[in-house]
Amino acid sequence: DTAVSQTPKYLVTQMGNDKSIKCEQNLGHDTMYWYKQDSKKFLKIMFSYNNKELIINETVPNRFSPKSPDKAHLNLHINSLELGDSAVYFCASSQGIRSNTEAFFGQGTRLTVV
Amino acid sequence: AQTVTQSQPEMSVQEAETVTLSCTYDTSESDYYLFWYKQPPSRQMILVIRQEAYKQQNATENRFSVNFQKAAKSFSLKISDSQLGDAAMYFCAWLLLTSGTYKYIFGTGTRLKVLA
């Protein structure tokens, strides 16, 4: 039973299109994240949600809009896709308490914009 | 600003040998957590080991151990008896838990090659 699942795993799309990536966690965690991993493997946080509320927005272009309908889901919608958006996007979740600080990651979505 | 630095872009180790991956971080906080994550070619991020900053004892998990030097802000990972399956990208990560901001900051990663 997958702890953090995101769909799709691969996404190829043309410039200018709008696309969404979905993420669900079944761990009962309060906090969820979106990270972007670029071609050099650098992982950078984009957004963080705690109990459905946005708590971190790391200067991400407003073409990226996260949505958390409930604390088990955090989706990422991207408008007007650009070539530079090509990357692997990871969803993650954590509990944020001392006894359980590990972040669990989904398998990533490789987005290719052509 | 908090930063995490991994100065070794790539490391190689012979199978069954020991290798140490370096990580330094910069923070003025005293209460935080440090992690090493492994990312094999499958892309999945897997937790290798975790260290609480308030604990002086170095964490160990089977063949994996850390050397945590809080004053020096250093957190290195030692892999003993290296196996072919250890080949992956390794990321050092830092988490400040008490700020309420819930942000894991990652280093740039070290690619580990294991030679048969």
Side-chain angles (χ1 to χ4, degrees), chain B residues 76-89:
Chain B
S76 60
L77 174 69
K78 185 170 85 170
I79 306 174
S80 304
D81 185 25
S82 296
Q83 301 175 359
L84 294 177
D86 294 334
M89 285 289 292

Side-chain angles (χ1 to χ4, degrees), chain B residues 10-38:
Chain B
E10 191 170 293
M11 293 282 285
S12 296
V13 62
Q14 288 290 141
E15 203 175 359
E17 297 294 308
T18 295
V19 65
T20 298
L21 308 184
S22 300
C23 173
T24 58
Y25 56 95
D26 184 20
T27 181
S28 57
E29 304 288 342
S30 60
D31 189 14
Y32 50 87
Y33 293 75
L34 295 160
F35 307 84
W36 279 97
Y37 277 87
K38 170 185 176 181

Side-chain angles (χ1 to χ4, degrees), chain A residues 20-35:
Chain A
S20 292
I21 306 171
K22 295 186 176 182
C23 179
E24 176 182 6
Q25 55 97 2
N26 62 6
L27 298 165
H29 287 166
D30 292 330
T31 308
M32 295 186 73
Y33 314 79
W34 279 109
Y35 278 84

Side-chain angles (χ1 to χ4, degrees), chain A residues 6 8-10 37 41 87-90 105-111, chain B residues 38-46 91:
Chain A
Q6 52 182 109
K9 289 188 173 49
Y10 298 93
Q37 186 174 43
K41 302 292 188 183
V88 179
Y89 292 83
F90 283 96
F105 286 80
Q107 284 191 295
T109 296
R110 181 178 294 280
L111 171 65
Chain B
K38 170 185 176 181
Q39 186 180 39
S42 67
R43 239 174 34 208
Q44 183 68 53
M45 294 287 287
I46 303 163
F91 293 94

Side-chain angles (χ1 to χ4, degrees), chain B residues 49-51 55-60 65-69:
Chain B
I49 200 163
R50 166 183 43 228
Q51 175 78 45
K55 288 187 178 179
Q56 291 187 334
Q57 188 174 5
N58 288 326
T60 61
S65 61
V66 299
N67 183 2
F68 174 47
Q69 302 288 330

Side-chain angles (χ1 to χ4, degrees), chain B residues 85-100:
Chain B
D86 294 334
M89 285 289 292
Y90 285 82
F91 293 94
C92 178
W94 178 93
L95 168 68
L96 178 64
L97 192 59
T98 56
S99 70

Side-chain angles (χ1 to χ4, degrees), chain A residues 2-82:
Chain A
T2 305
V4 181
S5 61
Q6 52 182 109
T7 55
K9 289 188 173 49
Y10 298 93
L11 187 53
V12 181
T13 187
Q14 291 187 327
M15 273 196 310
N17 283 352
D18 303 338
K19 290 293 178 186
S20 292
I21 306 171
K22 295 186 176 182
C23 179
E24 176 182 6
Q25 55 97 2
N26 62 6
L27 298 165
H29 287 166
D30 292 330
T31 308
M32 295 186 73
Y33 314 79
W34 279 109
Y35 278 84
K36 179 180 180 180
Q37 186 174 43
D38 63 23
S39 58
K40 295 183 178 177
K41 302 292 188 183
F42 183 56
L43 273 158
K44 184 173 165 56
I45 190 166
M46 300 173 68
F47 302 102
S48 172
Y49 270 73
N50 183 254
N51 280 317
K52 302 191 299 174
E53 295 207 8
L54 178 68
I55 53 175
I56 290 177
N57 179 341
E58 287 283 309
T59 59
V60 177
N62 57 17
R63 298 183 294 105
F64 291 79
S65 52
K67 285 202 170 39
S68 183
D70 55 61
K71 75 174 194 178
H73 295 84
L74 179 61
N75 303 323
L76 183 65
H77 187 76
I78 315 169
N79 290 327
S80 304
L81 277 154
E82 301 176 357

